[in-house]
Amino acid sequence: MGAVVIGFLIMIFLGMPVAFAIGLSGTLFFFVTPDLPYAIVVQKVVSSTQSFTLLAIPLFIFAGNLMNNTGITEKLIKLANVLTGHMYGNLGQVSTVLSTLMGGVSGSANADAAMQCRVLGPSMNERGYKKGYSAAINGVTSLITATIPPSMGLIIYGSVGEVSIGRLFAAGIIPGLMMMVALMITVRYTARKKGYAPESLKKPTLKEIGAASIDSIWALMFPVILLVGIRLGILTPSESGAFAAVYAIFVGFFIYKKLNVKTFVKTVKDSIRDIGVIMILVSLSGIFGYGIVYDSIPQKMAEFLIGVTSNPLILLFIVILLLVFAGMFVETTVVALLLTPILLPVVTRVGIDPVQFGVIMMTIVTMGIMTPPVGIALYTTSNIMGCKPEETAKESVPFLIAIIAVVLVLILWKDLVLFLPNLLFGA
């Protein structure tokens, strides 16, 4: 397996697309391992996508794109603005609250970061916000979508690790809200220091909040319906994705009346592109994953790490350092696909709950989208805002510290993660 890893790193260094680097390096395993039939390569590409659970990914991507084109996002922005207009760094606060509300809509941190820069970026420039600061806020706050359901990362983790996606969805809510609070505090501190005054001098009235909430009720009800449907056994995670798409079409055509044939066709095209990128990663990682299992990498990794320490807390910190490093160099989906089958058996062997680990793992690896040298959202937000990635990375530091602080709390007090899953689905 060593030759495979070296081959993968060389191809990444040479600039090959990650999906093809994974597929080719995985195929290399069959050349260096005697007696393995090459037909398995093709079989694993196909079989990796033959999962009913994974069907949730394209369905939720389609639903998210539909909702972005049906006026739901616009309603959520108005609600976030009403809630935070009286705070320092008002537009930064809007970005934080919007990411929390959008978690149940987009499910993708990268998509959320790009959308918020396009929507909020011009207003931030007009209000005199530094471009790097604006890019940092819109990028880092998008990490909340890694936990608020329906998170694409949690679906992939649950599918690969055979962990209940319903429990993962429920487990992500409290950590997502904790990240929102931590980031709002950080925005207030940094904005006050930079002199970004509130847009409104008075707090919103209950009447104003109520009116904005009612206006956004169709978006706010979406994650609630999903969790209730899964909990009551009415919907599987994949069926909830299909429901989400139908729900978005219904709201777009009949409630907000902003979805027409032209917009629908554009949404389908955008969704096909987004789904293609993720599913080619999923299919080609099946080749790589076969080599991991064949060489007993999870068992060897478990023995090695437990040989270092059998203390669950220390072991979890070691694994998190590994994930931080991996997230800095490899895209989030790839990390989830490749490392979940390796690390999950290790942490469960020492008594760490797989649901708690899933929320922590996906938060940490998603953080990699805002860290150099391969932070996708770092470059995306910087490009949209028209600033250097170095400037964005520098402005991101206090916000990333806030995320890490939340992760530490989740490690030390696992009941914060497991309270809702145990309440809804039983201990």
Side-chain angles (χ1 to χ4, degrees):
M1 202 66 191
V4 174
V5 174
I6 293 171
F8 172 73
L9 294 175
I10 290 173
M11 283 182 265
I12 290 292
F13 179 76
L14 293 175
M16 179 176 286
V18 175
F20 296 113
I22 290 173
L24 289 174
S25 58
T27 304
L28 178 62
F29 179 77
F30 290 81
F31 284 98
V32 298
T33 306
D35 303 325
L36 275 180
Y38 297 135
I40 295 177
V41 174
V42 179
Q43 291 170 1
K44 295 308 295 182
V45 170
V46 176
S47 65
S48 297
T49 61
Q50 305 303 299
S51 166
F52 184 71
T53 306
L54 279 178
L55 186 60
I57 294 176
L59 288 170
F60 275 120
I61 289 174
F62 181 45
N65 284 332
L66 279 167
M67 290 185 175
N68 285 338
N69 291 319
T70 56
I72 288 179
T73 302
E74 182 184 329
K75 302 289 185 182
L76 292 177
I77 291 172
K78 289 180 180 177
L79 173 60
N81 201 36
V82 168
L83 293 172
T84 64
H86 62 289
M87 300 179 183
Y88 277 93
N90 159 245
L91 293 174
Q93 304 288 9
V94 169
S95 177
T96 308
V97 175
L98 182 59
S99 285
T100 308
L101 298 174
M102 283 292 293
V105 176
S106 73
S108 167
N110 287 320
D112 187 51
M115 181 275 296
Q116 295 203 141
C117 274
R118 292 191 181 99
V119 173
L120 299 176
S123 297
M124 288 177 160
N125 289 337
E126 289 174 11
R127 293 288 301 277
Y129 286 43
K130 289 177 64 177
K131 292 182 178 180
Y133 181 77
S134 301
I137 290 177
N138 291 324
V140 178
T141 57
S142 72
L143 303 186
I144 298 173
T145 62
T147 61
I148 297 289
S151 159
M152 291 300 107
L154 291 180
I155 293 173
I156 292 171
Y157 171 85
S159 301
V160 176
E162 298 182 352
V163 181
S164 166
I165 293 175
R167 290 182 67 86
L168 288 167
F169 278 3
I173 294 175
I174 291 178
L177 295 175
M178 289 172 62
M179 280 193 276
M180 179 191 76
V181 172
L183 289 172
M184 288 181 75
I185 293 171
T186 308
V187 169
R188 185 185 187 281
Y189 171 77
T190 54
R192 191 166 189 171
K193 194 173 179 181
K194 294 175 183 292
Y196 302 148
E199 187 174 300
S200 173
L201 296 178
K202 61 177 184 177
K203 293 182 179 180
T205 63
L206 288 176
K207 184 178 180 181
E208 290 171 333
I209 294 174
S213 298
I214 291 171
D215 202 30
S216 308
I217 192 67
W218 291 98
L220 298 176
M221 285 297 295
F222 175 59
V224 177
I225 293 173
L226 291 186
L227 278 175
V228 171
I230 293 172
R231 170 63 186 91
L232 296 179
I234 300 171
L235 302 169
T236 66
S238 299
E239 290 167 347
S240 68
F243 167 80
V246 174
Y247 181 89
I249 292 170
F250 173 79
V251 172
F253 271 120
F254 300 106
I255 306 299
Y256 294 146
K257 299 180 180 178
K258 288 197 173 184
L259 186 64
N260 52 41
V261 174
K262 183 179 179 181
T263 307
F264 183 79
V265 170
K266 178 183 180 297
T267 302
V268 171
K269 289 179 179 178
D270 291 343
S271 299
I272 290 171
R273 184 190 64 241
D274 295 340
I275 292 165
V277 170
I278 292 179
M279 295 314 293
I280 195 171
L281 281 169
V282 171
S283 61
L284 292 178
S285 67
I287 310 170
F288 202 99
Y290 182 88
I292 290 172
V293 174
Y294 187 88
D295 261 6
S296 303
I297 300 298
Q299 293 86 340
K300 292 175 183 177
M301 179 69 79
E303 290 171 5
F304 171 75
L305 288 175
I306 292 173
V308 174
T309 177
S310 58
N311 183 298
L313 201 58
I314 297 174
L315 185 65
L316 191 52
F317 278 114
I318 293 172
V319 169
I320 285 172
L321 287 175
L322 172 64
L323 290 173
V324 170
F325 182 77
M328 291 173 65
F329 293 93
V330 185
E331 199 268 335
T332 304
T333 305
V334 178
V335 175
L337 287 167
L338 298 186
L339 294 188
T340 296
I342 296 175
L343 297 177
L344 187 56
V346 176
V347 297
T348 53
R349 187 167 166 181
V350 295
I352 296 169
D353 189 280
V355 173
Q356 179 197 17
F357 179 67
V359 172
I360 291 171
M361 175 179 176
M362 293 318 303
T363 301
I364 289 294
V365 298
T366 305
M367 192 171 68
I369 68 173
M370 282 301 292
T371 56
V374 193
I376 296 174
L378 173 67
Y379 297 106
T380 301
T381 56
S382 299
N383 181 57
I384 295 172
M385 295 306 301
C387 61
K388 293 181 179 179
E390 295 87 347
E391 183 184 349
T392 303
K394 182 181 177 182
E395 296 285 357
S396 298
V397 171
F399 301 103
L400 293 176
I401 290 173
I403 296 291
I404 292 170
V406 171
V407 170
L408 291 176
V409 172
L410 298 178
I411 292 170
L412 297 173
W413 288 281
K414 68 177 182 179
D415 287 342
L416 290 170
V417 181
L418 300 178
F419 172 73
L420 276 182
N422 290 342
L423 180 68
L424 293 174
F425 297 94

